[in-house]
Amino acid sequence: MSMNGVYIRLTPSELTRALHDPAWAMEYVDGLLEAESDLEQLPSTARSHHTYGAWHALHFLLRRRGFPVDIVHGEEEVPGMQDRGGHGPPRCVAPDRVRIAADALLALTPAELIDGVTPGQLADAGVYPISQWADEHSLGLVTGVYPSLVAFFRTTALRGHALLVWVD
């Protein structure tokens, strides 16, 4: 089974409730994921988003650029949240931090994100999935998911929403 970066968009009131009632949050998240699992939604309407196996490369590449927000692992613990897949519990990104991230993502093109990086560097750094970084075309795993991630963050920021983030 492969690891997958997962994002759930929450309204401020949903985030407040999640922070006070993690059992409700997990049930709510599962319901959103199930409701959207068979739908092809645009990032502007979706409540969930996935970066699939690109999550670790995104983390590596964004950290390399000094990205101001940890959008791959989230920034704040959510007390009482349970591990979603063996890689830690969901964490949140508050609405003000989502806006900072959205602005920074918009300012960074896919080409700029991977500029100066070779697949070999990702493999040498142990970036998951190591077997992916075989040739110069393999960076397409990252540049292929990046535009929809930018759009999802932009929509989330425009709505003043927060995010739950985890790897499962």
Side-chain angles (χ1 to χ4, degrees), residues 89-127:
R91 296 172 61 91
C92 70
V93 180
D96 61 323
R97 301 293 289 163
V98 169
R99 179 165 297 286
I100 291 167
D103 291 343
L105 287 168
L106 273 172
L108 183 64
T109 68
E112 291 168 336
L113 178 66
I114 64 169
D115 185 47
V117 176
T118 67
Q121 289 171 308
L122 295 174
D124 291 346
V127 173

PDB file of all heavy atoms in Angstrom, residues 89-127:
ATOM      1  N   PRO A  89      -1.159  11.271  13.714  1.00  0.00           N
ATOM      2  CA  PRO A  89      -2.528  11.785  13.638  1.00  0.00           C
ATOM      3  C   PRO A  89      -2.606  13.028  12.757  1.00  0.00           C
ATOM      4  O   PRO A  89      -1.598  13.691  12.504  1.00  0.00           O
ATOM      5  CB  PRO A  89      -2.852  12.132  15.094  1.00  0.00           C
ATOM      6  CG  PRO A  89      -1.526  12.414  15.710  1.00  0.00           C
ATOM      7  CD  PRO A  89      -0.537  11.521  15.015  1.00  0.00           C
ATOM      8  N   PRO A  90      -3.809  13.354  12.303  1.00  0.00           N
ATOM      9  CA  PRO A  90      -3.979  14.604  11.553  1.00  0.00           C
ATOM     10  C   PRO A  90      -3.545  15.801  12.397  1.00  0.00           C
ATOM     11  O   PRO A  90      -3.664  15.797  13.623  1.00  0.00           O
ATOM     12  CB  PRO A  90      -5.486  14.657  11.290  1.00  0.00           C
ATOM     13  CG  PRO A  90      -5.929  13.244  11.353  1.00  0.00           C
ATOM     14  CD  PRO A  90      -5.063  12.612  12.399  1.00  0.00           C
ATOM     15  N   ARG A  91      -3.042  16.789  11.713  1.00  0.00           N
ATOM     16  CA  ARG A  91      -2.680  18.066  12.323  1.00  0.00           C
ATOM     17  C   ARG A  91      -3.429  19.136  11.550  1.00  0.00           C
ATOM     18  O   ARG A  91      -3.919  18.896  10.454  1.00  0.00           O
ATOM     19  CB  ARG A  91      -1.170  18.285  12.261  1.00  0.00           C
ATOM     20  CG  ARG A  91      -0.405  17.234  13.089  1.00  0.00           C
ATOM     21  CD  ARG A  91       1.086  17.310  12.902  1.00  0.00           C
ATOM     22  NE  ARG A  91       1.664  18.564  13.291  1.00  0.00           N
ATOM     23  CZ  ARG A  91       2.131  18.870  14.490  1.00  0.00           C
ATOM     24  NH1 ARG A  91       2.051  17.981  15.462  1.00  0.00           N
ATOM     25  NH2 ARG A  91       2.664  20.050  14.738  1.00  0.00           N
ATOM     26  N   CYS A  92      -3.524  20.315  12.114  1.00  0.00           N
ATOM     27  CA  CYS A  92      -4.284  21.360  11.420  1.00  0.00           C
ATOM     28  C   CYS A  92      -3.377  22.498  10.966  1.00  0.00           C
ATOM     29  O   CYS A  92      -2.266  22.688  11.454  1.00  0.00           O
ATOM     30  CB  CYS A  92      -5.421  21.874  12.284  1.00  0.00           C
ATOM     31  SG  CYS A  92      -4.927  22.831  13.713  1.00  0.00           S
ATOM     32  N   VAL A  93      -3.904  23.209   9.985  1.00  0.00           N
ATOM     33  CA  VAL A  93      -3.324  24.466   9.515  1.00  0.00           C
ATOM     34  C   VAL A  93      -4.447  25.489   9.664  1.00  0.00           C
ATOM     35  O   VAL A  93      -5.508  25.358   9.040  1.00  0.00           O
ATOM     36  CB  VAL A  93      -2.843  24.373   8.053  1.00  0.00           C
ATOM     37  CG1 VAL A  93      -2.239  25.694   7.610  1.00  0.00           C
ATOM     38  CG2 VAL A  93      -1.847  23.229   7.866  1.00  0.00           C
ATOM     39  N   ALA A  94      -4.224  26.468  10.526  1.00  0.00           N
ATOM     40  CA  ALA A  94      -5.243  27.483  10.828  1.00  0.00           C
ATOM     41  C   ALA A  94      -5.503  28.369   9.608  1.00  0.00           C
ATOM     42  O   ALA A  94      -4.645  28.497   8.725  1.00  0.00           O
ATOM     43  CB  ALA A  94      -4.779  28.328  12.007  1.00  0.00           C
ATOM     44  N   PRO A  95      -6.682  28.992   9.539  1.00  0.00           N
ATOM     45  CA  PRO A  95      -7.031  29.813   8.372  1.00  0.00           C
ATOM     46  C   PRO A  95      -5.998  30.886   8.007  1.00  0.00           C
ATOM     47  O   PRO A  95      -5.716  31.077   6.822  1.00  0.00           O
ATOM     48  CB  PRO A  95      -8.366  30.448   8.773  1.00  0.00           C
ATOM     49  CG  PRO A  95      -8.983  29.463   9.704  1.00  0.00           C
ATOM     50  CD  PRO A  95      -7.817  28.903  10.491  1.00  0.00           C
ATOM     51  N   ASP A  96      -5.426  31.572   8.992  1.00  0.00           N
ATOM     52  CA  ASP A  96      -4.436  32.598   8.657  1.00  0.00           C
ATOM     53  C   ASP A  96      -3.185  31.987   8.047  1.00  0.00           C
ATOM     54  O   ASP A  96      -2.571  32.566   7.147  1.00  0.00           O
ATOM     55  CB  ASP A  96      -4.092  33.448   9.884  1.00  0.00           C
ATOM     56  CG  ASP A  96      -3.480  32.656  11.021  1.00  0.00           C
ATOM     57  OD1 ASP A  96      -3.896  31.486  11.248  1.00  0.00           O
ATOM     58  OD2 ASP A  96      -2.580  33.192  11.704  1.00  0.00           O
ATOM     59  N   ARG A  97      -2.804  30.787   8.484  1.00  0.00           N
ATOM     60  CA  ARG A  97      -1.637  30.098   7.938  1.00  0.00           C
ATOM     61  C   ARG A  97      -1.955  29.508   6.555  1.00  0.00           C
ATOM     62  O   ARG A  97      -1.077  29.435   5.702  1.00  0.00           O
ATOM     63  CB  ARG A  97      -1.160  29.016   8.900  1.00  0.00           C
ATOM     64  CG  ARG A  97      -0.771  29.533  10.278  1.00  0.00           C
ATOM     65  CD  ARG A  97       0.449  30.411  10.258  1.00  0.00           C
ATOM     66  NE  ARG A  97       1.624  29.583   9.987  1.00  0.00           N
ATOM     67  CZ  ARG A  97       2.783  30.053   9.583  1.00  0.00           C
ATOM     68  NH1 ARG A  97       2.961  31.345   9.419  1.00  0.00           N
ATOM     69  NH2 ARG A  97       3.790  29.247   9.341  1.00  0.00           N
ATOM     70  N   VAL A  98      -3.206  29.094   6.347  1.00  0.00           N
ATOM     71  CA  VAL A  98      -3.628  28.625   5.020  1.00  0.00           C
ATOM     72  C   VAL A  98      -3.471  29.762   4.014  1.00  0.00           C
ATOM     73  O   VAL A  98      -2.974  29.560   2.903  1.00  0.00           O
ATOM     74  CB  VAL A  98      -5.082  28.101   5.034  1.00  0.00           C
ATOM     75  CG1 VAL A  98      -5.600  27.884   3.616  1.00  0.00           C
ATOM     76  CG2 VAL A  98      -5.180  26.817   5.846  1.00  0.00           C
ATOM     77  N   ARG A  99      -3.855  30.979   4.405  1.00  0.00           N
ATOM     78  CA  ARG A  99      -3.733  32.124   3.505  1.00  0.00           C
ATOM     79  C   ARG A  99      -2.269  32.397   3.158  1.00  0.00           C
ATOM     80  O   ARG A  99      -1.926  32.642   2.008  1.00  0.00           O
ATOM     81  CB  ARG A  99      -4.359  33.372   4.113  1.00  0.00           C
ATOM     82  CG  ARG A  99      -4.215  34.601   3.197  1.00  0.00           C
ATOM     83  CD  ARG A  99      -5.097  35.742   3.582  1.00  0.00           C
ATOM     84  NE  ARG A  99      -6.504  35.428   3.498  1.00  0.00           N
ATOM     85  CZ  ARG A  99      -7.197  35.319   2.365  1.00  0.00           C
ATOM     86  NH1 ARG A  99      -6.616  35.496   1.213  1.00  0.00           N
ATOM     87  NH2 ARG A  99      -8.482  35.039   2.393  1.00  0.00           N
ATOM     88  N   ILE A 100      -1.394  32.338   4.150  1.00  0.00           N
ATOM     89  CA  ILE A 100       0.041  32.533   3.894  1.00  0.00           C
ATOM     90  C   ILE A 100       0.548  31.460   2.938  1.00  0.00           C
ATOM     91  O   ILE A 100       1.275  31.754   1.983  1.00  0.00           O
ATOM     92  CB  ILE A 100       0.831  32.521   5.222  1.00  0.00           C
ATOM     93  CG1 ILE A 100       0.498  33.771   6.042  1.00  0.00           C
ATOM     94  CG2 ILE A 100       2.334  32.410   4.977  1.00  0.00           C
ATOM     95  CD1 ILE A 100       0.977  33.719   7.483  1.00  0.00           C
ATOM     96  N   ALA A 101       0.157  30.221   3.180  1.00  0.00           N
ATOM     97  CA  ALA A 101       0.576  29.120   2.311  1.00  0.00           C
ATOM     98  C   ALA A 101       0.031  29.290   0.898  1.00  0.00           C
ATOM     99  O   ALA A 101       0.763  29.091  -0.085  1.00  0.00           O
ATOM    100  CB  ALA A 101       0.118  27.786   2.895  1.00  0.00           C
ATOM    101  N   ALA A 102      -1.235  29.659   0.779  1.00  0.00           N
ATOM    102  CA  ALA A 102      -1.841  29.832  -0.546  1.00  0.00           C
ATOM    103  C   ALA A 102      -1.110  30.911  -1.338  1.00  0.00           C
ATOM    104  O   ALA A 102      -0.823  30.717  -2.533  1.00  0.00           O
ATOM    105  CB  ALA A 102      -3.317  30.179  -0.410  1.00  0.00           C
ATOM    106  N   ASP A 103      -0.803  32.015  -0.702  1.00  0.00           N
ATOM    107  CA  ASP A 103      -0.075  33.090  -1.390  1.00  0.00           C
ATOM    108  C   ASP A 103       1.310  32.634  -1.820  1.00  0.00           C
ATOM    109  O   ASP A 103       1.758  32.920  -2.933  1.00  0.00           O
ATOM    110  CB  ASP A 103       0.029  34.330  -0.504  1.00  0.00           C
ATOM    111  CG  ASP A 103      -1.312  35.020  -0.283  1.00  0.00           C
ATOM    112  OD1 ASP A 103      -2.269  34.752  -1.047  1.00  0.00           O
ATOM    113  OD2 ASP A 103      -1.404  35.822   0.669  1.00  0.00           O
ATOM    114  N   ALA A 104       1.996  31.897  -0.946  1.00  0.00           N
ATOM    115  CA  ALA A 104       3.338  31.411  -1.276  1.00  0.00           C
ATOM    116  C   ALA A 104       3.289  30.357  -2.381  1.00  0.00           C
ATOM    117  O   ALA A 104       4.165  30.333  -3.257  1.00  0.00           O
ATOM    118  CB  ALA A 104       4.011  30.854  -0.032  1.00  0.00           C
ATOM    119  N   LEU A 105       2.281  29.499  -2.365  1.00  0.00           N
ATOM    120  CA  LEU A 105       2.135  28.502  -3.428  1.00  0.00           C
ATOM    121  C   LEU A 105       1.858  29.169  -4.769  1.00  0.00           C
ATOM    122  O   LEU A 105       2.425  28.776  -5.796  1.00  0.00           O
ATOM    123  CB  LEU A 105       1.004  27.524  -3.092  1.00  0.00           C
ATOM    124  CG  LEU A 105       1.280  26.509  -1.993  1.00  0.00           C
ATOM    125  CD1 LEU A 105      -0.011  25.821  -1.562  1.00  0.00           C
ATOM    126  CD2 LEU A 105       2.318  25.483  -2.436  1.00  0.00           C
ATOM    127  N   LEU A 106       0.992  30.182  -4.756  1.00  0.00           N
ATOM    128  CA  LEU A 106       0.689  30.896  -6.009  1.00  0.00           C
ATOM    129  C   LEU A 106       1.918  31.562  -6.607  1.00  0.00           C
ATOM    130  O   LEU A 106       2.041  31.677  -7.827  1.00  0.00           O
ATOM    131  CB  LEU A 106      -0.379  31.960  -5.768  1.00  0.00           C
ATOM    132  CG  LEU A 106      -1.815  31.514  -5.867  1.00  0.00           C
ATOM    133  CD1 LEU A 106      -2.753  32.620  -5.407  1.00  0.00           C
ATOM    134  CD2 LEU A 106      -2.151  31.086  -7.281  1.00  0.00           C
ATOM    135  N   ALA A 107       2.829  31.990  -5.747  1.00  0.00           N
ATOM    136  CA  ALA A 107       4.032  32.684  -6.210  1.00  0.00           C
ATOM    137  C   ALA A 107       5.112  31.728  -6.716  1.00  0.00           C
ATOM    138  O   ALA A 107       6.116  32.181  -7.274  1.00  0.00           O
ATOM    139  CB  ALA A 107       4.599  33.543  -5.080  1.00  0.00           C
ATOM    140  N   LEU A 108       4.905  30.427  -6.550  1.00  0.00           N
ATOM    141  CA  LEU A 108       5.904  29.429  -6.908  1.00  0.00           C
ATOM    142  C   LEU A 108       5.356  28.516  -8.002  1.00  0.00           C
ATOM    143  O   LEU A 108       4.410  27.766  -7.772  1.00  0.00           O
ATOM    144  CB  LEU A 108       6.253  28.611  -5.654  1.00  0.00           C
ATOM    145  CG  LEU A 108       7.332  27.557  -5.763  1.00  0.00           C
ATOM    146  CD1 LEU A 108       8.690  28.187  -6.072  1.00  0.00           C
ATOM    147  CD2 LEU A 108       7.405  26.767  -4.450  1.00  0.00           C
ATOM    148  N   THR A 109       5.935  28.587  -9.169  1.00  0.00           N
ATOM    149  CA  THR A 109       5.480  27.741 -10.275  1.00  0.00           C
ATOM    150  C   THR A 109       6.007  26.316 -10.096  1.00  0.00           C
ATOM    151  O   THR A 109       6.987  26.099  -9.372  1.00  0.00           O
ATOM    152  CB  THR A 109       5.975  28.273 -11.633  1.00  0.00           C
ATOM    153  OG1 THR A 109       7.404  28.108 -11.694  1.00  0.00           O
ATOM    154  CG2 THR A 109       5.583  29.725 -11.852  1.00  0.00           C
ATOM    155  N   PRO A 110       5.393  25.352 -10.780  1.00  0.00           N
ATOM    156  CA  PRO A 110       5.924  23.987 -10.718  1.00  0.00           C
ATOM    157  C   PRO A 110       7.383  23.912 -11.165  1.00  0.00           C
ATOM    158  O   PRO A 110       8.181  23.199 -10.555  1.00  0.00           O
ATOM    159  CB  PRO A 110       5.002  23.200 -11.661  1.00  0.00           C
ATOM    160  CG  PRO A 110       3.719  23.959 -11.651  1.00  0.00           C
ATOM    161  CD  PRO A 110       4.123  25.403 -11.527  1.00  0.00           C
ATOM    162  N   ALA A 111       7.726  24.662 -12.202  1.00  0.00           N
ATOM    163  CA  ALA A 111       9.114  24.652 -12.688  1.00  0.00           C
ATOM    164  C   ALA A 111      10.068  25.216 -11.638  1.00  0.00           C
ATOM    165  O   ALA A 111      11.171  24.695 -11.447  1.00  0.00           O
ATOM    166  CB  ALA A 111       9.222  25.445 -13.982  1.00  0.00           C
ATOM    167  N   GLU A 112       9.649  26.263 -10.947  1.00  0.00           N
ATOM    168  CA  GLU A 112      10.486  26.834  -9.884  1.00  0.00           C
ATOM    169  C   GLU A 112      10.615  25.869  -8.707  1.00  0.00           C
ATOM    170  O   GLU A 112      11.673  25.790  -8.074  1.00  0.00           O
ATOM    171  CB  GLU A 112       9.911  28.162  -9.404  1.00  0.00           C
ATOM    172  CG  GLU A 112      10.011  29.268 -10.431  1.00  0.00           C
ATOM    173  CD  GLU A 112       9.187  30.499 -10.059  1.00  0.00           C
ATOM    174  OE1 GLU A 112       8.205  30.383  -9.299  1.00  0.00           O
ATOM    175  OE2 GLU A 112       9.542  31.583 -10.551  1.00  0.00           O
ATOM    176  N   LEU A 113       9.546  25.147  -8.422  1.00  0.00           N
ATOM    177  CA  LEU A 113       9.560  24.192  -7.320  1.00  0.00           C
ATOM    178  C   LEU A 113      10.666  23.149  -7.502  1.00  0.00           C
ATOM    179  O   LEU A 113      11.360  22.807  -6.548  1.00  0.00           O
ATOM    180  CB  LEU A 113       8.200  23.496  -7.200  1.00  0.00           C
ATOM    181  CG  LEU A 113       8.075  22.429  -6.126  1.00  0.00           C
ATOM    182  CD1 LEU A 113       8.185  23.047  -4.730  1.00  0.00           C
ATOM    183  CD2 LEU A 113       6.759  21.687  -6.284  1.00  0.00           C
ATOM    184  N   ILE A 114      10.838  22.651  -8.718  1.00  0.00           N
ATOM    185  CA  ILE A 114      11.821  21.595  -8.967  1.00  0.00           C
ATOM    186  C   ILE A 114      13.134  22.109  -9.535  1.00  0.00           C
ATOM    187  O   ILE A 114      14.065  21.325  -9.752  1.00  0.00           O
ATOM    188  CB  ILE A 114      11.243  20.499  -9.892  1.00  0.00           C
ATOM    189  CG1 ILE A 114      10.918  21.052 -11.277  1.00  0.00           C
ATOM    190  CG2 ILE A 114      10.025  19.832  -9.237  1.00  0.00           C
ATOM    191  CD1 ILE A 114      10.591  19.983 -12.306  1.00  0.00           C
ATOM    192  N   ASP A 115      13.241  23.411  -9.739  1.00  0.00           N
ATOM    193  CA  ASP A 115      14.449  23.987 -10.328  1.00  0.00           C
ATOM    194  C   ASP A 115      15.697  23.617  -9.520  1.00  0.00           C
ATOM    195  O   ASP A 115      15.736  23.786  -8.298  1.00  0.00           O
ATOM    196  CB  ASP A 115      14.327  25.515 -10.406  1.00  0.00           C
ATOM    197  CG  ASP A 115      15.502  26.143 -11.130  1.00  0.00           C
ATOM    198  OD1 ASP A 115      15.876  25.639 -12.215  1.00  0.00           O
ATOM    199  OD2 ASP A 115      16.061  27.130 -10.606  1.00  0.00           O
ATOM    200  N   GLY A 116      16.696  23.089 -10.217  1.00  0.00           N
ATOM    201  CA  GLY A 116      17.962  22.762  -9.586  1.00  0.00           C
ATOM    202  C   GLY A 116      17.982  21.458  -8.824  1.00  0.00           C
ATOM    203  O   GLY A 116      18.961  21.147  -8.149  1.00  0.00           O
ATOM    204  N   VAL A 117      16.916  20.668  -8.917  1.00  0.00           N
ATOM    205  CA  VAL A 117      16.840  19.397  -8.206  1.00  0.00           C
ATOM    206  C   VAL A 117      16.802  18.265  -9.229  1.00  0.00           C
ATOM    207  O   VAL A 117      16.081  18.344 -10.221  1.00  0.00           O
ATOM    208  CB  VAL A 117      15.580  19.334  -7.316  1.00  0.00           C
ATOM    209  CG1 VAL A 117      15.444  17.974  -6.658  1.00  0.00           C
ATOM    210  CG2 VAL A 117      15.619  20.427  -6.276  1.00  0.00           C
ATOM    211  N   THR A 118      17.552  17.231  -8.942  1.00  0.00           N
ATOM    212  CA  THR A 118      17.526  16.051  -9.802  1.00  0.00           C
ATOM    213  C   THR A 118      16.808  14.917  -9.082  1.00  0.00           C
ATOM    214  O   THR A 118      16.764  14.894  -7.839  1.00  0.00           O
ATOM    215  CB  THR A 118      18.953  15.589 -10.150  1.00  0.00           C
ATOM    216  OG1 THR A 118      19.584  15.113  -8.950  1.00  0.00           O
ATOM    217  CG2 THR A 118      19.767  16.704 -10.783  1.00  0.00           C
ATOM    218  N   PRO A 119      16.275  13.982  -9.841  1.00  0.00           N
ATOM    219  CA  PRO A 119      15.671  12.812  -9.198  1.00  0.00           C
ATOM    220  C   PRO A 119      16.678  12.083  -8.304  1.00  0.00           C
ATOM    221  O   PRO A 119      16.310  11.574  -7.240  1.00  0.00           O
ATOM    222  CB  PRO A 119      15.225  11.947 -10.369  1.00  0.00           C
ATOM    223  CG  PRO A 119      15.001  12.923 -11.481  1.00  0.00           C
ATOM    224  CD  PRO A 119      16.063  13.967 -11.297  1.00  0.00           C
ATOM    225  N   GLY A 120      17.935  12.060  -8.708  1.00  0.00           N
ATOM    226  CA  GLY A 120      18.964  11.417  -7.898  1.00  0.00           C
ATOM    227  C   GLY A 120      19.099  12.046  -6.523  1.00  0.00           C
ATOM    228  O   GLY A 120      19.343  11.351  -5.530  1.00  0.00           O
ATOM    229  N   GLN A 121      18.938  13.350  -6.438  1.00  0.00           N
ATOM    230  CA  GLN A 121      19.001  14.027  -5.138  1.00  0.00           C
ATOM    231  C   GLN A 121      17.845  13.594  -4.239  1.00  0.00           C
ATOM    232  O   GLN A 121      18.017  13.438  -3.031  1.00  0.00           O
ATOM    233  CB  GLN A 121      18.983  15.544  -5.316  1.00  0.00           C
ATOM    234  CG  GLN A 121      20.264  16.094  -5.907  1.00  0.00           C
ATOM    235  CD  GLN A 121      20.137  17.562  -6.264  1.00  0.00           C
ATOM    236  OE1 GLN A 121      19.204  17.957  -6.957  1.00  0.00           O
ATOM    237  NE2 GLN A 121      21.089  18.354  -5.795  1.00  0.00           N
ATOM    238  N   LEU A 122      16.663  13.417  -4.825  1.00  0.00           N
ATOM    239  CA  LEU A 122      15.518  12.945  -4.050  1.00  0.00           C
ATOM    240  C   LEU A 122      15.771  11.521  -3.557  1.00  0.00           C
ATOM    241  O   LEU A 122      15.506  11.209  -2.394  1.00  0.00           O
ATOM    242  CB  LEU A 122      14.233  13.020  -4.871  1.00  0.00           C
ATOM    243  CG  LEU A 122      13.766  14.417  -5.264  1.00  0.00           C
ATOM    244  CD1 LEU A 122      12.564  14.339  -6.194  1.00  0.00           C
ATOM    245  CD2 LEU A 122      13.437  15.254  -4.061  1.00  0.00           C
ATOM    246  N   ALA A 123      16.300  10.668  -4.429  1.00  0.00           N
ATOM    247  CA  ALA A 123      16.608   9.289  -4.035  1.00  0.00           C
ATOM    248  C   ALA A 123      17.670   9.271  -2.939  1.00  0.00           C
ATOM    249  O   ALA A 123      17.532   8.561  -1.940  1.00  0.00           O
ATOM    250  CB  ALA A 123      17.051   8.479  -5.246  1.00  0.00           C
ATOM    251  N   ASP A 124      18.726  10.065  -3.113  1.00  0.00           N
ATOM    252  CA  ASP A 124      19.800  10.120  -2.110  1.00  0.00           C
ATOM    253  C   ASP A 124      19.301  10.616  -0.762  1.00  0.00           C
ATOM    254  O   ASP A 124      19.815  10.208   0.283  1.00  0.00           O
ATOM    255  CB  ASP A 124      20.944  11.019  -2.588  1.00  0.00           C
ATOM    256  CG  ASP A 124      21.710  10.421  -3.757  1.00  0.00           C
ATOM    257  OD1 ASP A 124      21.549   9.209  -4.048  1.00  0.00           O
ATOM    258  OD2 ASP A 124      22.475  11.181  -4.408  1.00  0.00           O
ATOM    259  N   ALA A 125      18.289  11.493  -0.774  1.00  0.00           N
ATOM    260  CA  ALA A 125      17.723  12.031   0.465  1.00  0.00           C
ATOM    261  C   ALA A 125      16.689  11.080   1.090  1.00  0.00           C
ATOM    262  O   ALA A 125      16.147  11.373   2.147  1.00  0.00           O
ATOM    263  CB  ALA A 125      17.084  13.392   0.211  1.00  0.00           C
ATOM    264  N   GLY A 126      16.419   9.961   0.416  1.00  0.00           N
ATOM    265  CA  GLY A 126      15.459   8.998   0.947  1.00  0.00           C
ATOM    266  C   GLY A 126      14.017   9.439   0.810  1.00  0.00           C
ATOM    267  O   GLY A 126      13.154   9.000   1.556  1.00  0.00           O
ATOM    268  N   VAL A 127      13.743  10.292  -0.169  1.00  0.00           N
ATOM    269  CA  VAL A 127      12.384  10.794  -0.378  1.00  0.00           C
ATOM    270  C   VAL A 127      11.510   9.668  -0.922  1.00  0.00           C
ATOM    271  O   VAL A 127      11.841   9.023  -1.919  1.00  0.00           O
ATOM    272  CB  VAL A 127      12.386  12.017  -1.325  1.00  0.00           C
ATOM    273  CG1 VAL A 127      10.971  12.428  -1.691  1.00  0.00           C
ATOM    274  CG2 VAL A 127      13.141  13.177  -0.687  1.00  0.00           C
TER     275      VAL A 127
END
